[in-house]
Amino acid sequence: PVGTPIYAVASGVVLSPTAGGWAGINVVIQHSNGGSTLYAHMSGKKVRPGQTVKAGQLIGYVGNTGRSFGAHLHLE
């Protein structure tokens, strides 16, 4: 449901959000292994670009923003 907490799956540094309007409110985290994780369609976020986050840290909340047809977390 909208407002469900979202936690980082791995540690890393928060990048600028993706510019794709389809993703709505989103967070991108760059990991030390060179990979990154996108969390999209959020109702709100609790982190900002440049911030370091740890695995399990609250980063935002499930939403229905961008090109979305219902509340969910798009994780990629």
Side-chain angles (χ1 to χ4, degrees):
V2 171
T4 301
I6 299 170
Y7 302 97
V9 297
S11 300
V13 176
V14 178
L15 301 179
S16 295
T18 184
W22 66 269
I25 297 170
N26 67 86
V27 169
V28 179
I29 299 175
Q30 178 76 49
H31 308 293
S32 62
N33 66 0
S36 61
T37 306
L38 166 67
Y39 305 78
H41 307 301
M42 301 167 80
S43 63
K45 55 187 173 179
K46 300 290 288 179
V47 294
R48 64 191 182 289
Q51 182 176 344
T52 299
V53 297
K54 295 183 184 246
Q57 182 175 333
L58 176 67
I59 60 168
Y61 303 95
V62 170
N64 187 24
T65 60
R67 194 172 307 139
S68 172
F69 299 101
H72 71 286
L73 171 63
H74 179 123
L75 175 69
E76 104 179 44

